Amino acid sequence: ANRQNCQQDQRVMSSFSGRVRLMPVLDVALLLCSLLAACVFRPAVAAPHTEENAPWNVNIEERHVPEDYRGDWVNHTHFPSPRDWRSLSVYQLLTDRFADGDPRNNELFDGGFDVRDMTFRHGGDFVGLRQKLHYIKGLGCQAIWISPVFQNGYNSYHQYSQLDFTLLDRRLGTLEELRDLTTAAHNLGMYVIVDVVMNHMANNFFFEGHQNDQAPWRFHGDGDDREYLLRPRMMRTTLYDTPAGKQPYMDFWYNNTWDPDAQYPGVLYGQWGEAAQDYGHGTYSFSDFHHNGDLQDYYDPFQINFGKLYGTMDDLRLEHRRVQEKYIAMTRALISSADVDGFRVDTPMQVPLSFYKAWAPAIREHAKSLGKHSFGLFGEFYVTPARYATMTGRGKDRTMYGADAFIEGPATLKGGIVYSYYWYMFTAFVYGESRYADGLALAYEAERSMLDTWEPVSNQSEYAMWNFCNNHDNWRMQSMTSPGHMRLCLTVISFWPGVPLHYAGDEQDFDSPGSALDGWAREELSTSLAWRALRTQDGGNPADRDNFDMTSPTYRFVARLNALRRAYYGDFGQEECDRLQIPSPQIQDVLAFVRGCTDEAKLAVAANFHSSEARKGSLVTPWPEGTLLENAVEADSISVRVGTGGNISFSLPPLAVMVLVPTPVRAVPPAVIAVQPSHAAVLKPEGGNGGMKVVLTFDRAMEESVASAARIDGLAGRFSCDNDSCSRISFDARIEEFKDGFHLIELDEGMQAADGTKTHAAFRSSFMVDRGFGVIAHPGLHEHPGLICGNMEQLCHNAVGATWLRIKNLGEDWTEWRAYESVSAWRAVRGIGVLVQYHAEGSASFIVGDCSLGGLKRCYASWHLQMFLRGDWNSWGETDQGRMQQIDHFTWATNMSASKFMRAKFAPEVGWDKSYGIHPDRDLLYGLPSFDPRHQGFAPEPYKSGAEASRKWMIAQGRWSEHESMASGAEFSTELWISHLCNTVPPPCPPSAKQSEDDLGWKCHGFGDQEDISWCRSVGAAGCMEYAENDGSSDMAGCGSCSCCERQRTFLPSGDATTCCVLFNDLMLNYTVTTDLSKCAPRPVQLAPLASVDETSEVVNDSAPAVRTEQRCSPRDAAPPPSGAVALAAARLQQAEAAFQDLGFARMPSPLDWHSEVAYSIVVDRFANGDISNDKANLPKFQQTEINVGKPLSLHRWRHGGDLQGVRSRLPYLKDLGVTIVALS
């Protein structure tokens, strides 16, 4: 069995343990035995350098000594660090969700590639990213932060569940391709920051006694309370051979030897910056992993540092010097071998500070030896400010604020992704509390006393926190608010102290609802399939199409912000850059400040956070009276005259933001603001001599040389200036000049404008010509009549622009990716669908299907051969109910009766290897910083992740009805709900599939505003919670000493039985539940075009009018001459044919009609033994051993001696039985 199937089996066993209990005990035992026997896990060949892993290994050390691992890049000069990290803007992307440069690596390791599902891999890689660097530079971002690069297991598209820290994930690319990426970035003056994970690895262990459930926290202890033994999740025969014996990981090793005298070394810090130290004894100190159980209490300083995150991430013992030395060696190797410029550190709040005190200086010193004197180390500060204060610079605990005192030891992280400013903007914009605009200044002032921002390289203070509007862990702000809110936020982060962070897709107005944690807001910029059913705009979802558009309005807006930041702040280099001038008191609902690195280059920013009301205010500026100020962001939109004492007054419309500078505004690089044909446009000649114009429009007058430099499909010299200022260049053409496929318009970096400025980045834009309505031009086209052609012996493709393709008959495996061809030799099976997946322009989201019944008659195309709807009403598939009928291409349907709410899942197979449910609800962590006195009474309704939150958003936007929703095949998906209401709405207070009795028990309730004990006594049930005064009974023991208790209330309404139509699209993964039973009726199938069948083929007469399309298929290419193994096979075939003829055999003709035959299936070994002399010729080793020792432990697996002679001797018996076909194993 392959690893993917076994992991699915494991997930099935975990997810459906509640249902397995319904089976007889013996059946359960047999099920478990069969699953375990079938699973042969194959861990990645890992870190010591070998010939086999060399293409992906950043380590060149061949000895298996992880602390001695090292990297090298022969004859390479490493790129120097930036002079000041504050001068950069950072662009964040998930490598898998950007551009797929080479589809051939998409399934090189462990599976999980599925472009249909937003929670699976989509193929992005180093090659695709390198090809789009000009796009990022054009946005004005000088650094890119990419997701982790090391090997992950099944799926893990996000890359945060690593199996190894020296092998690159084969699905992302080779070391050579990563080097090509960093080299190309450096050649463009850009820096590459890699996300690194050190807190945890994958999920290859479980705590003894808790293989499939949560392991309660243990610390030291003895007897039954002792820390857990670790148990590998895979079979011993598949573990690695390491210096520490058999291990699930190659370089980090567990050890279940108890050390009764051991302590946890070093000082730990909790959420409030409080120090904690271990004074107990006893732990598994010889193990590289923690044995303490799952992280449950994020406010316990020991749990947050030593607990297993989410119960799924094996936690490394990073406080131990042995583990530190291994990780230091591995990350040094990455810098040496790949020339990366910085690390973004994942989950540093779960890592003991002692690790960073050892790792950070070691990394900086190593990078410095390579010429990188200011290697960037930045953390994920999704935690309280008091916690990240301990790991910024030299660190401060809560006793050191405002004083020249620091935690002992060297500096650790330079800065990180800071949430305080995000939470204030989120509160103002999403919850409509615009008064929290004052929180940004409050947070900055508080941080200045809490953080050590001293930079020893420059010998000055440098505030290098990263500010953001969106990132890969949250809802996109523009989906929750409006484009106006988003533009205000983008402007603020561009000029506020710190480093602006831009999340991929924001510049193209991506607005998918839902949390990025579940994949909803992790769209790729290349053409996508997974969001096609999530129609957020009139034209669909922005992610449906190619989004590398360098002329889109928001792209140009962000590019201008970054250009203005460079023009006024320059290369930073001064402490002055971090000083703010803020009005006191602050203006209600308005953020206003003055900032600059020099007296000559300051700017004033004023932003109205109120969504519907104008605001007036005044601000003292550094400019002399009479100075005319202009809004630099939108020229000519606002002008203000400086009054007495540098004072300015202004009035701001709702959500208005202005960046005021003395006129004239400093020059920024020229840019292309429009292109014709527009980016990703599809042109279709309609016949005749169709004229067309190719045009580039700039934001200012350009030198005439730009016209001669512009190229179309690599050819220069066609463009000319279209006006006197040369702000527009073009050429006239006939569309007939352009062949079918993609055409590239390009302009190099450094093109000069009439004012002497030069373009900041190369410009690229493509359009497409398609005369045949192909799938690449129309990615929403998934059904292709005539794909199966040549009398079912060929496939005729209509995908001009594709570079690669792969093919499968349903029920079989995909072929390898092959270069695109207009016709493929392929044998289709009557009644079985064929799928083709194409790759073009950085995307493999082009999928079409066809199904033939012979001649012109066709059947439905689909992704799966069959589909079942299983749930409470049919015992989850133990009965034969639930089989769905195919009613349209990729669409399955069934009618079912319901009188109450019932759980269900879609499953395409008899078992549970694959199923489709919904993403579960989870509250998203959110709150105001503790230094804000308002945080204690701040308790808004939390935003949620999961399918239900996104479904509600789609309904509120008028994009879906209550009958629609989205499914997913993710391993964490839970059951969907179907009820007598015939919609996709869940019950008001549903029980959780994972709830235990403890979860439903009484717990402490903390009083909110206007709540007291009288309220608790009288309120009873409110929503899905029940409240009661603590009566001290054993039932309320979980409430502790609290006076008021709460417990979750579950309620499943019922009603009259209703018949519902349930539909599921197995390509788009959306489903519908409705009372309209007509929607479950089959749709007619379009006939195949005449050109797809031979003239001698049977023509089926159908009463429904056929829609015919013109299609020509090229003759099959001549087969190449055989060579190598093919030649050997051909020679052996000729020999066999000659022997057949020599023996005088004659071939039996095929039956005239297979339907009239009777088949008998035989496992030859278990039928009849015709020749005992061959019985011991091929016995398996285990059987021979058991025979020798007289212990037939595996008798059911023995060979029993059946052979072909035995079959031949029993042919008369079979003939008397009426058998006409013998089917042999």
Side-chain angles (χ1 to χ4, degrees):
N2 63 41
R3 181 183 179 90
Q4 177 178 345
N5 287 339
C6 292
Q7 287 187 332
Q8 288 172 341
D9 287 340
Q10 205 173 37
R11 289 191 292 272
V12 169
M13 291 164 65
S14 173
S15 300
F16 294 93
S17 58
R19 293 167 209 150
V20 172
R21 287 200 302 270
L22 300 175
M23 301 169 63
V25 174
L26 177 61
D27 291 346
V28 175
L30 292 174
L31 170 65
L32 295 176
C33 288
S34 64
L35 287 173
L36 292 173
C39 290
V40 181
F41 288 89
R42 303 192 183 280
V45 178
H49 188 92
T50 66
E51 184 177 353
E52 187 272 336
N53 69 31
W56 301 275
N57 205 336
V58 301
N59 165 46
I60 63 170
E61 176 57 60
E62 297 180 2
R63 295 177 303 121
H64 200 165
V65 185
E67 59 268 28
D68 289 344
Y69 287 169
R70 55 196 172 86
D72 191 22
W73 189 342
V74 179
N75 298 324
H76 177 74
T77 300
H78 286 72
F79 195 63
S81 301
R83 177 168 173 256
D84 190 330
W85 281 95
R86 295 175 299 169
S87 67
L88 308 182
S89 295
V90 179
Y91 187 85
Q92 183 207 355
L93 58 94
L94 295 179
T95 307
D96 179 73
R97 298 297 174 85
F98 195 66
D100 182 358
D102 186 351
R104 293 172 295 180
N105 62 24
N106 289 346
E107 295 182 290
L108 279 186
F109 186 85
D110 213 15
F113 173 69
D114 188 346
V115 296
R116 302 173 305 141
D117 197 318
M118 63 181 69
T119 47
F120 280 76
R121 301 189 80 92
H122 292 180
D125 51 28
F126 301 141
V127 173
L129 175 53
R130 177 178 55 80
Q131 293 168 346
K132 301 298 183 182
L133 286 175
H134 68 278
Y135 170 87
I136 300 173
K137 184 173 183 180
L139 195 64
C141 294
Q142 307 100 311
I144 56 172
W145 157 27
I146 65 176
S147 49
V149 297
F150 291 124
Q151 189 67 67
N152 278 236
Y154 175 75
N155 190 2
S156 295
Y157 71 92
H158 45 70
Q159 296 292 132
Y160 289 103
S161 184
Q162 296 177 137
L163 300 171
D164 190 87
F165 291 122
T166 61
L167 281 184
L168 300 176
D169 197 309
R170 300 185 183 208
R171 296 163 293 193
L172 298 181
T174 64
L175 175 58
E176 195 61 36
E177 289 166 342
L178 177 57
R179 287 172 170 175
D180 290 343
L181 169 62
T182 58
T183 299
H186 294 156
N187 289 340
L188 293 173
M190 300 171 68
Y191 302 90
V192 179
I193 300 166
V194 174
D195 208 322
V196 292
V197 185
M198 66 277 296
N199 175 68
H200 54 263
M201 298 188 74
N203 190 22
N204 286 348
F205 294 111
F206 65 90
F207 300 108
E208 187 172 63
H210 298 277
Q211 183 169 4
N212 295 315
D213 63 352
Q214 191 174 65
W217 171 256
R218 292 181 181 178
F219 191 57
H220 296 310
D222 202 4
D224 293 339
D225 293 328
R226 179 183 287 184
E227 294 174 8
Y228 298 95
L229 297 173
L230 290 184
R231 299 301 184 195
R233 291 187 180 275
M234 58 278 291
M235 297 170 62
R236 180 175 175 80
T237 55
T238 63
L239 299 176
Y240 293 122
D241 290 313
T242 77
K246 293 283 190 179
Q247 294 284 340
Y249 298 105
M250 180 65 87
D251 294 326
F252 292 91
W253 309 319
Y254 81 105
N255 187 321
N256 281 330
T257 302
W258 181 254
D259 184 350
D261 300 320
Q263 289 184 311
Y264 291 88
V267 178
L268 304 174
Y269 293 90
Q271 293 281 25
W272 309 120
E274 76 278 19
Q277 200 161 354
D278 178 27
Y279 296 103
H281 294 86
T283 183
Y284 296 95
S285 62
F286 303 106
S287 179
D288 288 347
F289 296 88
H290 288 126
H291 293 231
N292 306 88
D294 295 335
L295 170 57
Q296 299 169 36
D297 184 354
Y298 284 77
Y299 289 88
D300 180 329
F302 294 100
Q303 283 202 43
I304 198 172
N305 282 279
F306 304 148
K308 184 169 182 176
L309 185 62
Y310 307 135
T312 60
M313 306 289 191
D314 297 328
D315 202 74
L316 282 168
R317 193 176 292 266
L318 292 173
E319 72 278 7
H320 201 289
R321 186 61 190 171
R322 175 187 65 249
V323 182
Q324 293 172 3
E325 289 176 350
K326 290 182 181 183
Y327 196 84
I328 287 170
M330 295 170 184
T331 39
R332 279 173 171 167
L334 177 59
I335 301 171
S336 296
S337 293
D339 196 4
V340 298
D341 304 292
F343 292 147
R344 179 270 190 182
V345 176
D346 183 64
T347 56
M349 53 280 191
Q350 272 104 47
V351 174
L353 183 63
S354 59
F355 171 82
Y356 291 121
K357 290 288 184 179
W359 176 73
I363 291 302
R364 288 195 175 99
E365 189 61 31
H366 178 70
K368 186 177 179 180
S369 72
L370 300 174
K372 296 178 179 288
H373 293 276
S374 182
F375 190 84
L377 296 177
F378 303 94
E380 175 199 13
F381 292 160
Y382 193 20
V383 70
T384 63
R387 178 73 173 97
Y388 66 73
T390 65
M391 63 184 98
T392 301
R394 291 161 289 185
K396 288 173 176 280
D397 67 27
R398 63 184 181 182
T399 69
M400 301 171 178
Y401 300 157
D404 191 23
F406 310 98
I407 296 173
E408 184 180 354
T412 56
L413 305 179
K414 182 175 180 65
I417 303 167
V418 63
Y419 271 77
S420 298
Y421 309 121
Y422 169 77
W423 279 328
Y424 280 117
M425 288 191 282
F426 188 97
T427 304
F429 298 160
V430 176
Y431 290 111
E433 297 283 354
S434 53
R435 59 194 172 95
Y436 283 93
D438 64 359
L440 282 83
L442 173 66
Y444 188 65
E445 186 62 28
E447 280 195 342
R448 299 286 282 177
S449 69
M450 299 171 68
L451 302 181
D452 173 36
T453 58
W454 185 258
E455 174 53 65
V457 175
S458 61
N459 200 33
Q460 65 180 5
S461 178
E462 296 179 1
Y463 182 84
M465 294 295 179
W466 293 7
N467 304 316
F468 63 95
C469 300
N470 290 314
N471 64 26
H472 66 309
D473 285 336
N474 298 286
W475 281 64
R476 290 191 187 268
M477 187 176 290
Q478 59 269 38
S479 70
M480 297 182 288
T481 55
S482 72
H485 289 93
M486 188 63 184
R487 287 201 167 200
L488 189 155
C489 182
L490 290 169
T491 306
V492 168
I493 68 169
S494 296
F495 299 107
W496 189 257
V499 177
L501 174 65
H502 297 280
Y503 178 45
D506 285 348
E507 74 280 7
Q508 299 296 342
D509 299 320
F510 281 9
D511 61 354
S512 295
S515 167
L517 284 171
D518 291 337
W520 292 76
R522 288 179 176 176
E523 312 96 318
E524 62 256 44
L525 269 80
S526 52
T527 303
S528 306
L529 171 61
W531 289 268
R532 195 150 291 146
L534 208 65
R535 306 176 302 275
T536 59
Q537 299 177 11
D538 290 343
N541 190 297
D544 293 348
R545 55 187 178 271
D546 179 332
N547 278 282
F548 292 103
D549 182 0
M550 299 179 71
T551 64
S552 72
T554 305
Y555 180 94
R556 290 190 286 110
F557 180 77
V558 174
R560 181 164 181 83
L561 292 176
N562 283 325
L564 288 168
R565 192 173 186 272
R566 294 193 305 272
Y568 282 90
Y569 294 161
D571 293 331
F572 283 61
Q574 308 290 330
E575 282 194 24
E576 178 70 19
C577 301
D578 293 335
R579 293 196 177 98
L580 285 178
Q581 181 180 328
I582 296 173
S584 181
Q586 293 196 63
I587 308 164
Q588 177 73 32
D589 301 332
V590 173
L591 173 67
F593 62 91
V594 175
R595 182 186 176 214
C597 293
T598 65
D599 290 340
E600 296 77 26
K602 291 188 182 295
L603 45 76
V605 178
N608 180 5
F609 278 43
H610 204 287
S611 300
S612 59
E613 296 178 6
R615 288 290 180 265
K616 294 182 179 180
S618 62
L619 180 65
V620 177
T621 71
W623 299 295
E625 182 179 352
T627 303
L628 183 63
L629 306 180
E630 185 178 350
N631 185 5
V633 176
E634 297 182 33
D636 303 324
S637 60
I638 296 177
S639 61
V640 176
R641 184 78 63 177
V642 178
T644 305
N647 191 69
I648 61 171
S649 297
F650 52 82
S651 177
L652 291 170
L655 298 180
V657 58
M658 60 184 185
V659 179
L660 297 175
V661 296
T663 187
V665 177
R666 290 191 174 188
V668 298
V672 177
I673 60 173
V675 61
Q676 179 184 332
S678 60
H679 180 74
V682 176
L683 308 181
K684 182 176 181 180
E686 299 295 342
N689 296 323
M692 63 175 290
K693 200 175 188 72
V694 180
V695 184
L696 288 175
T697 304
F698 297 86
D699 62 357
R700 70 196 69 180
M702 301 294 292
E703 294 287 350
E704 291 185 5
S705 57
V706 71
S708 58
R711 300 185 298 279
I712 176 77
D713 293 335
L715 179 64
R718 297 199 67 178
F719 288 88
S720 61
C721 294
D722 220 16
N723 52 26
D724 293 340
S725 65
C726 207
S727 62
R728 195 175 126 113
I729 61 174
S730 67
F731 71 88
D732 294 315
R734 296 192 315 276
I735 196 169
E736 287 76 14
E737 297 178 39
F738 296 94
K739 65 179 182 180
D740 281 353
F742 288 99
H743 298 274
L744 179 64
I745 304 169
E746 54 188 332
L747 193 64
D748 290 339
E749 178 182 330
M751 295 293 102
Q752 187 159 316
D755 61 9
T757 56
K758 295 182 179 181
T759 55
H760 178 66
F763 176 82
R764 303 282 188 274
S765 183
S766 63
F767 64 92
M768 191 177 187
V769 174
D770 177 38
R771 294 169 171 82
F773 204 80
V775 62
I776 308 302
H778 305 278
L781 179 68
H782 299 296
E783 176 246 339
H784 180 182
L787 173 65
I788 299 173
C789 62
N791 204 24
M792 300 182 68
E793 296 286 335
Q794 292 178 322
L795 299 181
C796 294
H797 304 286
N798 184 12
V800 292
T803 50
W804 301 93
L805 63 81
R806 65 175 188 167
I807 310 167
K808 68 178 292 186
N809 287 335
L810 291 190
E812 300 176 2
D813 292 333
W814 288 100
T815 65
E816 297 296 320
W817 288 94
R818 64 178 77 169
Y820 178 74
E821 55 199 358
S822 59
V823 178
S824 299
W826 186 263
R827 177 167 294 178
V829 179
R830 190 186 301 249
I832 301 294
V834 174
L835 291 173
V836 182
Q837 186 170 18
Y838 303 98
H839 179 274
E841 292 290 278
S843 172
S845 288
F846 306 97
I847 296 172
V848 297
D850 194 11
C851 184
S852 176
L853 295 172
L856 297 180
K857 199 161 186 177
R858 298 173 62 241
C859 37
Y860 298 121
S862 63
W863 185 266
H864 293 292
L865 273 171
Q866 57 185 352
M867 189 63 62
F868 298 88
L869 178 63
R870 298 183 181 140
D872 296 328
W873 65 92
N874 60 11
S875 303
W876 292 97
E878 289 186 23
T879 70
D880 194 37
Q881 299 174 10
R883 181 180 294 273
M884 303 183 78
Q885 175 189 8
Q886 199 166 5
I887 62 156
D888 204 349
H889 299 291
F890 302 100
T891 304
W892 303 85
T894 188
N895 291 329
M896 62 165 291
S897 179
S899 60
K900 60 182 180 180
F901 279 86
M902 298 179 289
R903 289 192 177 100
K905 270 195 168 186
F906 300 104
E909 300 167 8
V910 173
W912 289 100
D913 282 355
K914 183 72 175 180
S915 64
Y916 299 94
I918 58 173
H919 293 166
D921 283 353
R922 289 180 293 176
D923 289 347
L924 297 177
L925 297 177
Y926 167 66
L928 294 181
S930 59
F931 51 68
D932 189 328
R934 297 169 290 190
H935 84 278
Q936 292 183 338
F938 185 79
E941 182 70 23
Y943 258 73
K944 294 179 179 290
S945 67
E948 176 59 12
S950 299
R951 186 193 69 83
K952 288 180 177 178
W953 185 95
M954 291 291 288
I955 292 175
Q957 301 296 315
R959 300 297 175 184
W960 278 355
S961 71
E962 63 179 5
H963 302 283
E964 299 171 84
S965 192
M966 283 281 287
S968 170
E971 55 269 27
F972 60 84
S973 290
T974 59
E975 297 90 345
L976 53 95
W977 291 93
I978 295 177
S979 74
H980 55 292
L981 303 176
C982 292
N983 57 34
T984 60
V985 180
C989 298
S992 168
K994 295 184 178 181
Q995 273 177 337
S996 65
E997 291 184 7
D998 290 340
D999 295 327
L1000 298 175
W1002 291 102
K1003 297 178 182 178
C1004 178
H1005 173 72
F1007 290 129
D1009 290 343
Q1010 300 180 348
E1011 293 180 356
D1012 55 20
I1013 191 64
S1014 298
W1015 169 88
C1016 183
R1017 292 168 181 155
S1018 61
V1019 67
C1024 294
M1025 299 300 293
E1026 182 181 357
Y1027 303 91
E1029 184 177 8
N1030 192 344
D1031 60 11
S1033 66
S1034 58
D1035 286 346
M1036 287 191 167
C1039 188
S1041 60
C1042 293
S1043 60
C1044 184
C1045 307
E1046 66 178 26
R1047 67 180 176 185
Q1048 189 167 342
R1049 173 173 167 259
T1050 63
F1051 176 59
L1052 297 179
S1054 60
D1056 294 336
T1058 309
T1059 300
C1060 308
C1061 163
V1062 182
L1063 301 130
F1064 176 56
N1065 186 301
D1066 66 358
L1067 187 68
M1068 305 291 195
L1069 302 187
N1070 58 320
Y1071 68 98
T1072 300
V1073 184
T1074 176
T1075 56
D1076 185 354
L1077 303 186
S1078 67
K1079 291 186 178 298
C1080 279
R1083 303 344 181 227
V1085 184
Q1086 180 180 333
L1087 295 183
L1090 287 172
S1092 65
V1093 297
D1094 291 348
E1095 292 181 2
T1096 56
S1097 298
E1098 174 190 5
V1099 178
V1100 180
N1101 189 12
D1102 198 297
S1103 58
V1107 180
R1108 309 203 185 276
T1109 58
E1110 290 299 321
Q1111 186 165 353
R1112 300 294 179 202
C1113 295
S1114 305
R1116 188 184 306 180
D1117 295 336
S1123 61
V1126 176
L1128 177 62
R1132 295 187 63 179
L1133 182 62
Q1134 291 176 350
Q1135 295 169 5
E1137 179 65 26
F1140 186 91
Q1141 299 295 337
D1142 291 344
L1143 291 171
F1145 287 163
R1147 287 191 172 85
M1148 186 175 182
S1150 298
L1152 294 176
D1153 180 8
W1154 285 92
H1155 292 276
S1156 64
E1157 305 297 325
V1158 176
Y1160 189 90
S1161 178
I1162 293 173
V1163 178
V1164 175
D1165 180 71
R1166 301 298 173 89
F1167 187 66
N1169 189 340
D1171 183 357
I1172 62 172
S1173 67
N1174 62 21
D1175 287 359
K1176 294 185 178 181
N1178 193 27
L1179 288 184
K1181 186 176 180 180
F1182 78 90
Q1183 180 177 345
Q1184 188 63 62
T1185 300
E1186 292 180 3
I1187 291 174
N1188 293 341
V1189 300
K1191 294 182 178 180
L1193 301 176
S1194 307
L1195 188 65
H1196 60 287
R1197 297 173 57 208
W1198 284 15
R1199 296 190 71 93
H1200 289 187
D1203 49 30
L1204 294 177
Q1205 292 93 326
V1207 175
R1208 186 178 62 179
S1209 69
R1210 296 295 185 266
L1211 288 177
Y1213 163 83
L1214 298 177
K1215 185 174 182 180
D1216 288 346
L1217 194 62
V1219 172
T1220 63
I1221 298 171
V1222 180
L1224 301 181
S1225 59

